[in-house]
Amino acid sequence: MATLPPSPFDRDRRNRRTVLTMAGVGLSMLALGFASVPLYRIFCEQTGFGGTTMRADANVQVQEAAGHTMSIRFDSNVQPGMPWQFYPEHRTDTVTVGRKDMAIFIAKNMSDKPVTGTASFNVTPSQAGAYFTKIQCFCFTEQTLQPGQEVRMPVLYFVDPKILDDADNKDTQQITLSYTFYPVEPGKKAS
């Protein structure tokens, strides 16, 4: 029994269906591309992945792990071309695990114009990010400094005692909290 070749009508219908399917796949990939950055940020914030720190409310209750201390090292950077001096008041601090502590960073606008900046941050070793919790931080909002203005910016934080039970952090003796300030163009939101 011989088969008949597909009619032009059938071929056009299949071509149209293929084009629509491929357009749908392309649009889905484009939407996923736009959604990936906020979805990745949410994932990192919830899990501490990649050295992202946790965030807690000011009235969080934490049980101190008496006798367990950890060294916290503070690192500061500015994007090249940003006219700020930015540095921690103290480069290191020894904290009791579970006790709230505060670090102060100092920023000074060295230019003759107001400059707005936003800080990105991370923690190393990256597996410690899930246990480093910030309560208050200048990195939560944009900072605008007037010409020549110098400010002291606090970071209120604690190291969650659960870090002591984590096999991946059993050898962690020091956590580095690192910030980099980037300029924000007027009228644009930081991502």
Side-chain angles (χ1 to χ4, degrees):
M1 199 177 214
T3 58
L4 296 172
S7 73
F9 177 74
D10 289 338
R11 208 170 329 137
D12 288 346
R13 192 174 67 193
R14 277 187 296 192
N15 286 345
R16 200 173 313 120
R17 187 176 10 185
T18 301
V19 167
L20 288 174
T21 301
M22 297 313 296
V25 168
L27 287 173
S28 297
M29 291 174 69
L30 182 65
L32 184 59
F34 279 108
S36 64
V37 172
L39 290 174
Y40 182 73
R41 183 177 295 132
I42 290 167
F43 171 76
C44 290
E45 288 172 354
Q46 295 300 314
T47 64
F49 182 76
T52 302
T53 62
M54 300 290 99
R55 193 169 172 179
D57 193 68
N59 32 354
V60 65
Q61 297 298 316
V62 185
Q63 181 67 40
E64 289 184 25
H68 294 279
T69 61
M70 192 163 291
S71 174
I72 309 297
R73 188 174 86 75
F74 303 104
D75 178 51
S76 59
N77 306 282
V78 293
Q79 182 182 31
M82 185 168 185
W84 282 15
Q85 286 182 346
F86 173 58
Y87 56 93
E89 187 172 60
H90 302 285
R91 289 269 172 213
T92 60
D93 192 9
T94 300
V95 300
T96 298
V97 174
R99 180 182 295 165
K100 296 176 187 176
D101 203 352
M102 183 185 302
I104 302 291
F105 283 78
I106 299 167
K108 183 174 183 178
N109 181 355
M110 304 302 288
S111 76
D112 59 354
K113 296 181 240 177
V115 176
T116 300
T118 188
S120 65
F121 55 88
N122 71 350
V123 166
T124 52
S126 59
Q127 71 269 14
Y131 304 101
F132 194 95
T133 305
K134 289 191 255 181
I135 298 167
Q136 177 186 338
C137 183
F138 57 86
C139 61
F140 296 161
T141 59
E142 293 178 357
Q143 305 296 318
T144 300
L145 300 182
Q146 298 305 313
Q149 181 182 13
E150 181 175 293
V151 295
R152 294 168 47 89
M153 301 181 294
V155 178
L156 185 59
Y157 68 94
F158 65 90
V159 178
D160 193 316
K162 292 176 187 169
I163 195 170
L164 301 172
D165 299 324
D166 184 349
D168 290 335
N169 282 291
K170 67 180 177 164
D171 296 324
T172 301
Q173 296 177 9
Q174 183 177 67
I175 296 175
T176 300
L177 175 61
S178 182
Y179 289 100
T180 301
F181 254 106
Y182 296 91
V184 175
E185 293 180 38
K188 288 191 177 181
K189 286 280 188 197
S191 56

